Amino acid sequence: MPELAKLLPKLPLFYSLSFDQLDWLTKRAEFLRIGEGNLFYDNTAAPENHFYILLEGEWLVTRQVLGTQQVLSQQGGSPGAWHGGVELIEAVAPGKAQAVTDCAICRVHQDVMFRLIAESPGLAKHLLTGYLEGIKKILDLME
């Protein structure tokens, strides 16, 4: 298992975190290997309470919009893509995420992310920018 303490500071998502915050995060994060084709996030089946960060590989995120499962994004090639964290979005357009290729993923419980967001304006800004882009995509799919 790669050491998350070496991987996470290299991701733009976590650039604004202090050494102590990164240390606290890595002690609470999980490293997962997800095989090609496997579903690792399915909020259409049950509520999900984790945040996922792509470390290696490629994943596909779909959303159920107006009763139809539609592609929201396919990301890979470089580490740092992330998914999760907004219950309102999940209520409007429940999501699924599947490994397109073998993936290495960091999974973090939402309570850990919520604490870091409260402490780090830079992390909050990074996430809000990403959420805005995702919400725009969902709105486009609803038209």
Side-chain angles (χ1 to χ4, degrees):
M1 171 177 110
E3 194 173 331
L4 289 175
K6 292 181 181 176
L7 295 173
L8 297 183
K10 297 177 183 177
L11 303 178
L13 177 63
F14 299 122
Y15 282 172
S16 66
L17 298 185
S18 70
F19 176 81
D20 289 341
Q21 289 170 320
L22 283 164
D23 183 57
W24 185 82
L25 170 62
T26 57
K27 289 176 180 172
R28 289 154 181 80
E30 299 174 77
F31 177 83
L32 305 174
R33 285 259 178 221
I34 309 294
E36 178 182 339
N38 289 320
L39 196 65
F40 62 90
Y41 177 97
D42 186 358
N43 207 47
T44 65
E48 179 62 56
N49 59 2
H50 287 90
F51 194 89
Y52 296 85
I53 301 109
L54 184 65
L55 302 173
E56 173 184 302
E58 185 174 345
W59 68 23
L60 175 71
V61 176
T62 61
R63 293 266 179 204
Q64 188 171 341
V65 179
L66 302 175
T68 304
Q69 203 67 26
Q70 299 188 47
V71 173
L72 184 67
S73 67
Q74 186 164 338
Q75 298 168 313
S78 62
W82 51 269
H83 181 75
V86 179
E87 293 176 16
L88 176 61
I89 294 173
E90 294 298 337
V92 172
K96 292 183 180 183
Q98 179 177 9
V100 175
T101 64
D102 290 343
C103 288
I105 294 173
C106 174
R107 182 170 70 178
V108 181
H109 194 274
Q110 69 182 8
D111 292 342
V112 172
M113 289 300 293
F114 291 167
R115 177 174 163 182
L116 290 172
I117 290 165
E119 295 174 357
S120 173
L123 175 60
K125 183 178 178 182
H126 187 98
L127 291 172
L128 288 170
T129 301
Y131 290 139
L132 181 60
E133 292 171 12
I135 289 168
K136 286 178 181 177
K137 289 178 184 178
I138 293 169
L139 288 171
D140 287 345
L141 292 172
M142 294 178 85
E143 291 184 2

